[in-house]
Amino acid sequence: MVDDVERILISTEKLRERIGEMGRQITEDYAGKEILMIGVLRGAVIFMADLARSIKVPVAIDFMAVSSYGMGTASSGVVRILKDLDESVEGKHVLVVEDIIDSGLTLNYLLDNIKSRKPASIRMCTLLNKPERRKVDVHIDYNGFTIPDDFVIGYGLDYAEKYRNLPFIGVLKPEVYQR
Ligand code: PRP
């Protein structure tokens, strides 16, 4: 698995530090409130698990699964709900958690969809942001790292369902996806 990594973009240590900072900021911003974190399956799971543990106010969690990329590498623009939330968001302070914002299409759809269910507030948090690939403008409240348009894997991000368990963010060797 590690042999397929061209270089490490964000080390385990940098991830830990930055997620700690994000947790402190979110804790401050939500003082006296409870958060409902909505994780977007499957990539966000690993980031969300660490982020939740760095937040000191009460955090409830729920998940949505949507399809955007399929098994390929380019965004199709088609967003479909594969798994909906288990609980109502009405009156809750929702924090949507993503691993990466690329074209912005997934997030754009999700935010509109969740807003229509009347949460008390809604903000979004992403570990990685690739602004070069943006197709629709989306507002990001908490951004871990802005990265260049490389094919990144690890810490939740996959290529064909592989590499999600790497403990760092790496750049995939082009020969792997050009095979
Ligand atoms: C990724 C990522 C976001 C979306 C971002 O998910 O987790 O949900 O793509 O891309 P966009 O900004 O272009 O919409 P993916 O469809 O790869 O599924 P996964 O999380 O299960 O890997």
Side-chain angles (χ1 to χ4, degrees):
M1 204 167 51
V2 175
D3 293 344
D4 295 343
V5 176
E6 189 171 77
R7 66 179 192 281
I8 294 179
L9 191 66
I10 308 168
S11 68
T12 305
E13 183 54 23
K14 276 197 184 139
L15 286 168
R16 199 186 57 77
E17 271 175 30
R18 182 72 186 117
I19 294 166
E21 280 172 15
M22 294 172 90
R24 282 190 288 279
Q25 182 68 54
I26 292 169
T27 301
E28 225 178 275
D29 294 351
Y30 286 86
K33 294 179 182 148
E34 294 187 11
I35 298 172
L36 172 61
M37 265 191 178
I38 298 180
V40 186
L41 295 172
R42 287 169 258 184
V45 165
I46 291 176
F47 168 50
M48 182 164 162
D50 284 342
L51 182 67
R53 283 176 288 183
S54 74
I55 294 173
K56 306 295 178 215
V57 298
V59 172
I61 62 175
D62 204 342
F63 295 97
M64 278 182 89
V66 295
S67 73
S68 56
Y69 287 9
M71 300 293 277
T73 61
S75 183
S76 64
V78 178
V79 179
R80 205 157 49 92
I81 295 185
L82 303 176
K83 183 219 166 291
D84 206 348
L85 297 168
D86 288 332
E87 308 288 339
S88 162
V89 302
E90 198 172 335
K92 311 247 175 85
H93 294 289
V94 169
L95 183 62
V96 177
V97 180
E98 269 284 22
D99 52 348
I100 186 163
I101 307 300
D102 207 325
S103 68
L105 292 167
T106 306
L107 182 64
N108 192 45
Y109 171 83
L110 276 177
L111 290 180
D112 280 354
N113 181 290
I114 298 169
K115 272 179 201 160
S116 73
R117 307 184 201 193
K118 303 189 171 58
S121 69
I122 183 164
R123 286 187 185 172
M124 93 77 46
C125 177
T126 186
L127 178 65
L128 306 175
N129 178 24
K130 255 190 197 179
E132 283 171 48
R133 304 254 308 180
R134 203 70 94 248
K135 287 187 187 152
V136 286
D137 202 25
V138 286
H139 177 74
I140 302 174
D141 298 283
Y142 304 99
N143 175 27
F145 301 88
T146 296
I147 60 166
D149 188 14
D150 291 321
F151 198 109
V152 286
I153 43 143
Y155 200 74
L157 289 98
D158 74 311
Y159 170 63
E161 291 308 320
K162 212 174 158 187
Y163 313 106
R164 291 198 200 267
N165 59 318
L166 286 174
F168 53 80
I169 301 286
V171 176
L172 190 61
K173 285 182 180 164
E175 65 240 42
V176 177
Y177 52 88
Q178 283 162 2
R179 259 174 215 156

